[in-house]
Amino acid sequence: MVHIVTGVPYYLDEATWWGVEVFELKKQLETARQKGITVRALFFINPGNPNAQVLTEENQRDIVEFCKKEGRVLLVDEINNVTRIPPDFYWNFSKSMIK
């Protein structure tokens, strides 16, 4: 069985060092629904590439809660945190999911 995947972009806010606002995710989800697109998952790269921005703990928790509320799978690529970011500086999504 072949599944067609359609990307639904979300806005990264430069004013919050490339953070993601939940109201923006809601807006994009609703726009996708209106176009007949079923969003099943959200995907984040954290730290971001190529600028190595790190989503804040609060921003990550907001995203986790949004995915729970909307019943969406959260996929996160955090491989660069091991090699680039000092451990005392970095907060990863798995910590946000546990608390």
Side-chain angles (χ1 to χ4, degrees), residues 8-85:
V8 177
Y10 52 84
Y11 177 74
L12 298 174
D13 185 10
E14 185 176 6
T16 61
W17 207 49
W18 307 108
V20 179
E21 299 294 334
V22 170
F23 76 86
E24 180 67 28
L25 293 176
K26 289 178 184 176
K27 184 171 108 179
Q28 291 300 90
L29 188 61
E30 184 54 37
T31 299
R33 284 182 184 136
Q34 291 171 359
K35 293 179 180 179
I37 299 169
T38 301
V39 175
R40 292 188 172 96
L42 277 77
F43 179 71
F44 292 89
I45 300 172
N46 187 50
N49 217 351
N51 64 1
Q53 109 290 350
V54 176
L55 295 172
T56 66
E57 176 183 351
E58 180 181 1
N59 202 188
Q60 290 179 42
R61 288 177 195 267
D62 290 345
I63 293 166
V64 168
E65 288 305 312
F66 175 77
C67 288
K68 283 183 195 176
K69 181 179 176 188
E70 293 291 332
R72 303 294 174 250
V73 174
L74 175 59
L75 302 169
V76 183
D77 173 354
E78 295 186 300
I79 191 65
N80 285 330
N81 75 337
V82 175
T83 58
R84 296 174 140 186
I85 309 296

Side-chain angles (χ1 to χ4, degrees), residues 46 54-55 60 78 81 90-97:
N46 187 50
V54 176
L55 295 172
Q60 290 179 42
E78 295 186 300
N81 75 337
Y90 184 75
W91 181 272
N92 65 37
F93 269 92
S94 62
K95 292 178 184 175
S96 295
M97 289 183 206

